[in-house]
Amino acid sequence: MLLLRHCRGLTRVGLLKTQRVQLLQGAALPVAVCAGSLCARWGSSHGGHKSGQYQRSHGPNWRHALAGLLAGTGAVLAYGLHHSQTEQAAATIVQPIAPASSLPIYTQDEVTKHRSVEEGVWVTYKGSVYDITEFVSMHPGGDKILLAAGGALEPFWALYAVHSQDHVLEILSEYKVGELSAEDRLMQQSVKSTDPYSTDPERHPALRINSLKPFNAEPPPEILSDNYITPSAIFFKRNHLPVPQVDPKSYRLQVEGVPGGVSLSLSLEELKTHFPKHTVTATLQCAGNRRSEMNKVKQVKGLNWGIAAISNATWSGARLKDVLLAAGYRSEVAQQTSHVQFEGLDSDVTGTTYGASIPLNKAVSEEGDVLLAYQMNGEDLPADHGYPVRVVVPGTVGARNVKWLGKIIVSEEESSSHWQQNDYKGFSPATDWDTVDFKSAPAIQELPIQSAITQPVEGAVVERSAEEVTVKGYAWSGGGREVVRVDVSLDGGRTWQVAQLQSSEKGQVPAPSPPPGRAWAWKLWELTAPLPPVVQELEIVCKAVDNSYNMQPDSVAPIWNLRGVLSNAWHRVKVTVKEDEEKQKLL
């Protein structure tokens, strides 16, 4: 069942010479039919295919949606889903298919032989055999999809459960070439599929869930600013993979790559006892915080975070700089290397781990305060936050704060991880999924100035009899830049008032101003102001200013980007002013 790529894809990769051409008798060469920018795929009958039996073709780039399923990477899936949405309106071509009973029977050994583009890329799912060779060459995520070749899809389905949907099954059905032998079916059924998320920790019921597998959630805005130090239980959760089970007794942290230095293998106890313990209060923010506001301008790809994918905690552990010094780091090393890579212990079914990197100068700076943290808010790290050890990179996007840390590598290169190279990057509003080139943009490190309103929430009602309204929120800036002012408007930005800033828990002695460039923690803010007369609705707006006089943009549209990251426009909340009942009667 050879299907033709659309014209653009054909010019890039040409026609694949797959094993399927040789195996399926009577398969005709594919034919391209193009009309303007539209190119349709014609499939021809295979051996045993009967005329009069048809199947819909979804268009060539549905391949990417399935590729996203196999690879489990956000940007890849987004790429495919974009094309699925933009091409649904295209003309649909029907193609003959064979009834299941007439398809060839293959053994698992025969399927296993098809593990490359040259020999064909075959997979099995629920006893059926699929040849997915065609979209492998078009897959923008590299060779990762090939790791599923010759085997079953079920482990991938379990890992990336969010993709196990009817439309994906329908897409997969287009590539069916046979059935697995009865003996091998029984053997597959005898192997129980395990859910890699079954050992994930329990979570606080107040959290608002964006995805269950992997688990991603944020606290309700109205409780986010109740505490200067966010309780660990409601600190936002951002996981890319299942939470690993790590035995603290056998845990080892590997450190390697220091030119002229030595490799280290540190136990948790050695990390705690061989290096001074430092404590830093630092705010972490997901790159996708407030993505939901970009979705209101134009749909983006990614978890639909509200304003609470940000939290503040105290972190304790060894300084990364001290550990690198123990591995032989010297100042002249900076002339030979530029990056420090981190690898987590969380992995997918292929063994691919989460990874990221930061610039070497941040890692070794006395003022960088990068920690190998083993405590959060005075207690052992919770499982969701990286137990037993995670990296905390103050002032830097959450994606670089790798959890469940297993390896540190000093390198000339950035991490090759998908999340460093093909995600968490910003682009122009003009860039779309047809033109995006992830290699052209730098990986996000420091985040821009940010603020948001936590109270009142959108749609709240304020009683006119109260005569005043209290507005609360948070403000933070990346790179250690201190927030020096938050402006609040009750009339959509026509007039402004300055909020009171809070840099410690209420009732405590205010914390002294941090050293320049080391303002790692957010500031909470509050404003109580008289209710404007007459108005029945308030449009409350906030905007923050840091000590470099960076300010938030006034609207979302100019900063919109296809991944919905770096969303930091003025935050706006509309609330209703309810008149007194007695006054309403008089009116």
Side-chain angles (χ1 to χ4, degrees):
M1 186 179 60
L2 280 178
L3 304 175
L4 189 64
R5 302 166 188 82
H6 67 35
C7 300
R8 188 168 60 249
L10 185 62
T11 61
R12 286 197 303 237
V13 299
L15 295 174
L16 288 175
K17 298 179 180 179
T18 68
Q19 188 72 10
R20 186 163 46 177
V21 175
Q22 301 166 13
L23 291 176
L24 303 178
Q25 301 298 318
L29 289 176
V31 179
V33 181
C34 295
S37 61
L38 173 66
C39 181
R41 300 180 304 171
W42 284 90
S44 56
S45 61
H46 296 197
H49 286 198
K50 298 178 181 179
S51 61
Q53 294 170 324
Y54 299 103
Q55 178 176 338
R56 287 184 181 274
S57 169
H58 290 275
N61 286 300
W62 273 102
R63 283 174 267 181
H64 297 291
L66 189 57
L69 163 69
L70 297 176
T73 53
V76 169
L77 183 62
Y79 184 85
L81 292 180
H82 158 73
H83 285 286
S84 75
Q85 292 164 355
T86 56
E87 295 179 8
Q88 276 180 342
T92 299
I93 305 302
V94 293
Q95 50 193 355
I97 62 170
S101 59
S102 68
L103 291 174
I105 304 297
Y106 297 104
T107 66
Q108 182 60 56
D109 286 342
E110 289 176 306
V111 174
T112 303
K113 293 176 182 177
H114 297 82
R115 306 183 67 175
S116 67
V117 172
E118 292 73 26
E119 297 297 324
V121 180
W122 289 19
V123 295
T124 66
Y125 180 68
K126 290 188 176 181
S128 296
V129 180
Y130 302 88
D131 182 345
I132 60 172
T133 311
E134 288 190 314
F135 67 76
V136 168
S137 63
M138 298 283 288
H139 177 235
D143 298 331
K144 189 173 181 182
I145 192 172
L146 292 174
L147 297 173
L153 281 180
E154 279 80 351
F156 290 86
W157 234 272
L159 185 63
Y160 304 108
V162 68
H163 304 150
S164 183
Q165 301 176 31
D166 289 344
H167 72 272
V168 178
L169 292 172
E170 186 180 354
I171 298 160
L172 182 64
S173 69
E174 296 184 17
Y175 301 95
K176 185 172 178 177
V177 294
E179 304 288 348
L180 200 60
S181 70
E183 181 180 353
D184 286 315
R185 279 189 181 216
L186 288 174
M187 187 173 297
Q188 280 193 353
Q189 292 170 2
S190 67
V191 179
K192 290 185 177 180
S193 176
T194 59
D195 181 358
Y197 295 94
S198 62
T199 57
D200 270 17
E202 291 186 10
R203 279 89 179 202
H204 196 285
L207 292 171
R208 295 181 176 177
I209 299 172
N210 279 314
S211 73
L212 277 172
K213 299 179 181 183
F215 189 80
N216 291 280
E218 61 189 301
E222 54 267 36
I223 68 173
L224 178 62
S225 58
D226 283 350
N227 300 279
Y228 180 73
I229 300 297
T230 311
S232 302
I234 63 167
F235 196 106
F236 83 95
K237 311 290 189 281
R238 177 62 175 110
N239 296 334
H240 295 84
L241 297 161
V243 175
Q245 301 293 296
V246 184
D247 180 0
K249 294 181 180 178
S250 60
Y251 171 80
R252 309 294 293 188
L253 174 60
Q254 309 297 327
V255 183
E256 58 188 56
V258 178
V262 296
S263 295
L264 301 178
S265 180
L266 300 171
S267 68
L268 180 59
E269 186 63 21
E270 288 169 335
L271 191 64
K272 290 181 176 181
T273 58
H274 292 188
F275 302 94
K277 180 180 179 181
H278 292 263
T279 297
V280 173
T281 300
T283 296
L284 299 187
Q285 180 181 213
C286 178
N289 190 32
R290 299 179 60 191
R291 178 179 283 132
S292 58
E293 294 164 59
M294 286 196 174
N295 274 323
K296 293 176 182 178
V297 173
K298 182 181 177 183
Q299 195 69 28
V300 299
K301 310 301 181 183
L303 297 171
N304 195 41
W305 292 107
I307 67 165
I310 182 172
S311 301
N312 191 48
T314 58
W315 310 93
S316 299
R319 291 192 307 179
L320 174 58
K321 177 183 179 180
D322 293 340
V323 173
L324 293 180
L325 286 171
Y329 174 82
R330 298 294 180 266
S331 57
E332 55 269 22
V333 169
Q335 300 175 5
Q336 305 172 54
T337 58
S338 301
H339 305 275
V340 177
Q341 302 176 5
F342 307 115
E343 292 183 8
L345 296 174
D346 49 332
S347 63
D348 62 18
V349 291
T350 71
T352 301
T353 60
Y354 184 84
S357 60
I358 62 173
L360 178 65
N361 59 0
K362 171 67 174 178
V364 300
S365 169
E366 190 74 30
E367 293 77 33
D369 292 323
V370 181
L371 293 183
L372 305 180
Y374 43 78
Q375 286 188 335
M376 177 183 183
N377 294 341
E379 299 179 344
D380 288 347
L381 288 173
D384 264 325
H385 296 291
Y387 181 81
V389 177
R390 72 172 299 168
V391 185
V392 173
V393 191
T396 299
V397 65
R400 314 301 168 216
N401 292 251
V402 175
K403 299 186 284 188
W404 311 291
L405 185 64
K407 184 182 289 186
I408 300 170
I409 306 168
V410 178
S411 174
E412 296 180 27
E413 305 294 335
E414 272 191 325
S415 169
S416 60
S417 164
H418 161 82
W419 293 279
Q420 187 82 21
Q421 299 299 326
N422 296 310
D423 207 347
Y424 299 122
K425 295 182 176 184
F427 294 95
S428 165
T431 300
D432 59 26
W433 289 101
D434 291 315
T435 59
V436 65
D437 176 10
F438 277 93
K439 302 302 181 186
S440 68
I444 299 170
Q445 294 287 344
E446 297 179 358
L447 286 170
I449 181 74
Q450 176 71 283
S451 73
I453 300 162
T454 57
Q455 297 180 47
V457 297
E458 177 73 21
V461 175
V462 178
E463 297 287 345
R464 170 69 68 186
S465 59
E467 297 183 350
E468 59 185 19
V469 60
T470 297
V471 187
K472 298 180 180 181
Y474 66 77
W476 180 77
S477 192
R481 293 176 289 275
E482 183 179 7
V483 171
V484 295
R485 194 180 78 235
V486 172
D487 298 322
V488 180
S489 173
L490 302 183
D491 55 14
R494 289 189 292 275
T495 62
W496 298 92
Q497 302 176 62
V498 178
Q500 182 177 358
L501 302 180
Q502 174 191 339
S503 55
S504 62
E505 297 290 358
K506 278 194 171 181
Q508 294 184 358
V509 177
S513 294
R518 298 171 77 179
W520 309 127
W522 66 11
K523 290 190 178 180
L524 302 182
W525 55 264
E526 183 174 324
L527 172 76
T528 299
L531 284 172
V534 182
V535 299
Q536 296 179 326
E537 183 182 74
L538 303 178
E539 183 180 11
I540 306 174
V541 184
C542 73
K543 60 183 178 73
V545 182
D546 67 23
N547 61 356
S548 293
Y549 288 97
N550 295 307
M551 302 180 190
Q552 295 172 253
D554 64 356
S555 58
V556 177
I559 60 171
W560 183 94
N561 59 86
L562 76 178
R563 281 291 284 131
V565 294
L566 307 170
S567 181
N568 73 323
W570 295 359
H571 188 222
R572 301 170 184 267
V573 167
K574 291 185 177 180
V575 302
T576 299
V577 179
K578 183 180 180 182
E579 298 292 343
D580 299 338
E581 291 185 8
E582 291 299 322
K583 190 174 181 179
Q584 287 276 35
K585 291 177 182 177
L586 292 174
L587 294 174

